[in-house]
Amino acid sequence: ANSRLQHEYVPSAHLSAACTCLAWAPPGGRPPPSKDGPQRKKRKSEVAEVDKQLDILAIGTAVGSILLYSTVKGELQSKLDGGHENRVNCVRWHQDNSCLYSCSEDKHIVEWNTQTCKVKCKWKGDNSSVMSLCISPDGKMLLSAGRTIKLWDLETKEVYRHFTGHATSVSSLMFTTVKPMNENKPFDGITGLYFLSGAIHDRLLSVWYIRSDRKEKNAVMSFTVTDEPTFIDLTVSEVKEEPVKLAVVCRDGQLHLFEHILNGYCKKPLTSNCTIQIATPGNDGDSTPKPVPILAAAFCTDKQSLLLVYGNTLQPIIEKVSLNTTESHVCLIRDIQKVLSLKTDVAVTKVKTPVVNSDTKVLVPGIPGHSTAVKTPSSGKEKKKNKRKPGETEESIEERLEALDIDVRKVKTPGGLPQTDSFAVLLVQGLESNDAEILNRVLNTRKENVIKNTVARMPIHAVIPLLHELTKRLQGNPYSASLMVRWLKSVFTLHASYLSTLPDLIPQLGMLYQLMESRVKTLQKLSRLHGRLFILVTQVAASEAAQDVTEVNQTAKLVYEDESSEEEGSDDEMIADKDSDENWDEDEEKEEQSDEQDMTVEKEINGDSDLEPENESEEE
């Protein structure tokens, strides 16, 4: 009535699977309490209350088990296991309450005995997954649907009728009539009844008629809506001339109301008698009205008024609306912004200061150079300190540190960075806050041992973020890449065992692999280019050096002739010989010089030919 959350069931996260479907057990027929508990007589009033109150809720899960949860006790009553191997799509209680029917992705339908928590019967319901179930008003038949719809006889578990169904999987099945329209023939409990079905991604709701013969399988009429139906409620037609009222909530947040007497075949799809939307008033601040999605709708017991659930799923608003309009479109204006403000309670903190004996020595964690004894404040002084006079100025942090007896100079380290032992902490902080400044300071260290220690000390959960950060930096400047490689190396050597346990390691490191491959591919070409450039540069340097050398004058500055003690007669002969010798030397020198020049020219030519090799391919 007041849109407040009355009860919340939170399964323990590591043990449970996601909830896929729900169904309330019929009221008043709770499974009897377990025999071991002491039996006590219930008062009459107590019994009456129990009869009215809904208690057991069947919860189907994604792993195939079904939980029975008691809302009165606020605890799980039992768990139904062993029926399904896959996600449970729909659960339905039988009218006598001891039976529960469920269908699953594993193509089977299971009949459960909820008192013994065992499978009563299990049979294959369809060739694909069974999406939806519905039990007939008399409880003897069961409708099941994947894409096609089947009507089963619950006693024999055989198919009684087939219906064509929908192109997509059926999301809802409901009986719309309790008695057949033609009252002349005897009623066998099922023939002559109408039922309704809706499917995902299908904007038509189909109505089917259960005939006595097996001929016609197609829908007798259909209702058209604006979007895929997400929630359907109807009033069952009990008397012959009573129309069926249908409320359909669509994915687009609109509610469509239909009213129709089911009397045989109708060719055209029927459109809604009334469409309801909810919007915000566009007056304060924001001038445009915004639509508010309707989440669910249900008819009240009087079959006239509706309960609407709208707003957001975390804090929905439930409102009773009575509609007596003949209009085809109704827009309700609700100011949802004010209602949906989240209220936060201010937490009351009671901080107690420990009473410390003067003899005990207290070690305070944290800052190096922090050697202070914890002083026990006397409560009177404390109160005086906290209340500042209006004229007083607040103490600066430096003064407070001095009062705490912390040596400020010890705390500050050159460069403003803490000691190396906290590099790991700093790195983790940088990765979590994505602070480029911290990361640059840490990752630009060149010392191998600092890098090793940091990587060894960092927590496991930060390894993958660090690898992503390194990959990002490797793509950048080649200078920073050379630094990042050191980090990569130590991460891979120290955390190899952790990385090898990750199932999604290859996609995580995909970018890094690609980067390495592309770098390695270009290495060969680069080394060739490097080799050629090296030859070229050395030759250019050599030719420059050859030009710079000044030409040496080859003529002798001084000739020293040795006087021999031989006969003077052969003197002339000697001089002539010497002359010819000198000439010979000179000739030889000239030849050498010309040879040298030839060599350099040749070298230059060779160098040029090296520069432009004609037989190399264009790409290289």
Side-chain angles (χ1 to χ4, degrees):
N2 55 10
S3 299
R4 283 216 187 115
L5 180 67
Q6 190 178 327
H7 192 96
E8 192 168 10
Y9 164 54
V10 184
S12 56
H14 67 290
L15 292 174
S16 65
C19 161
T20 53
C21 50
L22 299 166
W24 285 105
R30 271 197 289 171
S34 54
K35 295 281 181 282
D36 48 6
Q39 297 276 340
R40 71 179 178 89
K41 283 191 175 179
K42 289 183 177 175
R43 292 196 218 109
K44 279 184 183 176
S45 62
E46 220 176 326
V47 175
E49 273 171 24
V50 167
D51 281 356
K52 285 178 201 166
Q53 194 176 21
L54 291 165
D55 174 20
I56 304 292
L57 188 62
I59 305 171
T61 63
V63 291
S65 56
I66 297 166
L67 311 172
L68 298 184
Y69 180 74
S70 165
T71 49
V72 174
K73 293 178 189 167
E75 60 184 27
L76 271 185
Q77 188 165 304
S78 46
K79 188 176 180 182
L80 310 178
D81 265 329
H84 297 293
E85 285 95 57
N86 209 329
R87 171 194 166 102
V88 180
N89 287 324
C90 185
V91 281
R92 287 281 175 267
W93 291 88
H94 199 273
Q95 280 86 324
D96 69 1
N97 192 33
S98 61
C99 268
L100 177 73
Y101 292 90
S102 64
C103 64
S104 162
E105 294 277 328
D106 64 8
K107 310 174 189 176
H108 284 79
I109 301 170
V110 174
E111 182 180 3
W112 299 90
N113 184 341
T114 52
Q115 291 177 353
T116 59
C117 298
K118 289 202 165 64
V119 176
K120 229 182 188 181
C121 183
K122 178 178 177 176
W123 72 97
K124 189 173 178 181
D126 209 317
N127 292 331
S128 59
S129 54
V130 187
M131 299 301 292
S132 194
L133 296 175
C134 182
I135 294 165
S136 65
D138 66 346
K140 289 177 184 170
M141 297 275 181
L142 174 77
L143 279 171
S144 80
R147 285 193 177 89
T148 58
I149 304 169
K150 292 175 184 175
L151 181 65
W152 301 86
D153 187 331
L154 283 178
E155 278 182 30
T156 59
K157 307 287 188 285
E158 284 173 358
V159 178
Y160 181 73
R161 292 282 182 275
H162 270 285
F163 302 91
T164 44
H166 296 256
T168 53
S169 22
V170 175
S171 56
S172 49
L173 286 172
M174 285 177 183
F175 275 91
T176 54
T177 50
V178 181
K179 291 174 186 168
M181 296 295 160
N182 188 352
E183 290 168 355
N184 305 336
K185 294 176 187 173
F187 179 46
D188 63 352
I190 195 77
T191 309
L193 295 187
Y194 289 90
F195 69 89
L196 176 94
S197 70
I200 55 171
H201 312 309
D202 194 343
R203 297 210 336 265
L204 287 175
L205 295 163
S206 303
V207 176
W208 312 81
Y209 178 61
I210 300 166
R211 294 167 62 98
S212 52
D213 55 0
R214 288 171 173 261
K215 279 182 197 169
E216 203 174 322
K217 297 178 186 174
N218 292 341
V220 288
M221 64 182 80
S222 55
F223 299 106
T224 175
V225 288
T226 51
D227 201 347
E228 175 189 329
T230 54
F231 194 94
I232 302 170
D233 190 48
L234 50 82
T235 62
V236 176
S237 164
E238 288 164 3
V239 197
K240 186 178 178 182
E241 290 305 313
E242 190 187 354
V244 170
K245 287 186 179 180
L246 187 64
V248 184
V249 179
C250 296
R251 178 149 291 185
D252 57 7
Q254 293 186 43
L255 167 66
H256 300 274
L257 295 177
F258 298 88
E259 197 168 323
H260 190 76
I261 297 170
L262 302 175
N263 50 3
Y265 187 71
C266 180
K267 197 174 179 184
K268 277 187 178 177
L270 301 165
T271 51
S272 60
N273 298 20
C274 179
T275 304
I276 299 173
Q277 281 178 293
I278 298 178
T280 56
N283 45 23
D284 53 298
D286 200 12
S287 57
T288 52
K290 292 195 176 105
V292 176
I294 299 175
L295 306 172
F299 286 101
C300 298
T301 43
D302 61 355
K303 297 192 181 184
Q304 292 300 319
S305 47
L306 273 167
L307 274 178
L308 294 184
V309 183
Y310 59 90
N312 74 355
T313 45
L314 289 173
Q315 199 179 351
I317 295 157
I318 301 167
E319 186 185 334
K320 191 171 180 176
V321 180
S322 55
L323 294 162
N324 309 327
T325 62
T326 51
E327 286 178 36
S328 63
H329 200 107
V330 178
C331 185
L332 305 172
I333 292 169
R334 298 286 180 268
D335 193 358
I336 200 167
Q337 257 55 38
K338 286 172 188 163
V339 186
L340 266 179
S341 60
L342 294 171
K343 292 170 187 150
T344 50
D345 296 338
V346 180
V348 181
T349 54
K350 294 180 181 177
V351 180
K352 291 184 180 176
T353 340
V355 180
V356 182
N357 189 355
S358 55
D359 302 335
T360 55
K361 188 180 181 184
V362 180
L363 297 174
V364 182
I367 318 149
H370 189 161
S371 51
T372 173
V374 174
K375 291 161 190 163
T376 50
S378 57
S379 53
K381 283 178 190 170
E382 187 79 346
K383 279 176 191 167
K384 277 179 197 168
K385 266 188 191 173
N386 288 350
K387 287 180 186 174
R388 269 197 292 132
K389 288 171 191 166
E392 275 181 27
T393 52
E394 205 175 341
E395 288 180 333
S396 71
I397 289 179
E398 204 165 13
E399 285 167 11
R400 288 185 193 178
L401 286 176
E402 277 170 18
L404 273 172
D405 187 25
I406 297 174
D407 196 339
V408 184
R409 281 165 300 174
K410 278 185 193 169
V411 179
K412 288 179 186 170
T413 53
L417 258 190
Q419 290 76 11
T420 45
D421 59 347
S422 58
F423 254 51
V425 179
L426 212 62
L427 179 60
V428 174
Q429 283 174 358
L431 289 169
E432 281 173 1
S433 62
N434 216 344
D435 191 330
E437 196 180 343
I438 296 178
L439 288 171
N440 288 340
R441 283 176 154 190
V442 176
L443 295 175
N444 286 348
T445 44
R446 293 171 165 278
K447 293 175 184 170
E448 289 285 340
N449 61 338
V450 172
I451 292 174
K452 251 187 195 167
N453 292 343
T454 307
V455 173
R457 284 188 181 137
M458 68 187 282
I460 287 286
H461 65 80
V463 173
I464 290 290
L466 175 61
L467 281 175
H468 288 323
E469 182 63 33
L470 291 174
T471 310
K472 204 162 73 186
R473 283 162 182 263
L474 275 169
Q475 292 166 324
N477 193 342
Y479 168 73
S480 71
S482 64
L483 288 173
M484 295 313 121
V485 169
R486 296 179 184 184
W487 282 91
L488 261 184
K489 189 177 170 185
S490 51
V491 168
F492 284 142
T493 48
L494 291 163
H495 294 293
S497 55
Y498 163 67
L499 288 170
S500 62
T501 60
L502 295 177
D504 57 343
L505 182 65
I506 293 172
Q508 292 268 29
L509 299 182
M511 182 76 88
L512 191 61
Y513 285 139
Q514 286 172 0
L515 200 73
M516 284 178 170
E517 272 178 34
S518 60
R519 291 270 167 109
V520 172
K521 269 181 193 167
T522 54
L523 179 66
Q524 195 179 5
K525 294 174 189 174
L526 282 171
S527 54
R528 279 188 190 174
L529 180 65
H530 177 260
R532 284 188 198 150
L533 285 173
F534 183 72
I535 292 172
L536 205 149
V537 169
T538 47
Q539 285 181 356
V540 169
S543 65
E544 277 177 0
Q547 283 169 12
D548 289 351
V549 174
T550 50
E551 290 212 0
V552 185
N553 188 16
Q554 299 290 349
T555 54
K557 296 275 173 76
L558 176 75
V559 180
Y560 173 70
E561 289 178 10
D562 197 13
E563 286 182 14
S564 68
S565 55
E566 283 176 32
E567 299 95 25
E568 293 297 320
S570 61
D571 247 11
D572 297 331
E573 204 175 282
M574 278 285 289
I575 288 162
D577 267 352
K578 239 186 187 117
D579 270 343
S580 69
D581 270 354
E582 263 170 38
N583 289 347
W584 173 251
D585 283 340
E586 253 173 50
D587 287 352
E588 219 167 55
E589 273 170 15
K590 275 179 190 163
E591 260 174 41
E592 269 175 26
Q593 222 173 331
S594 68
D595 272 6
E596 245 179 290
Q597 277 171 350
D598 284 0
M599 280 280 279
T600 53
V601 171
E602 227 170 69
K603 245 192 190 173
E604 268 170 29
I605 291 164
N606 283 351
D608 285 347
S609 77
D610 264 353
L611 273 178
E612 297 166 6
E614 278 153 34
N615 60 348
E616 295 285 336
S617 70
E618 278 181 43
E619 186 190 357
E620 287 181 335

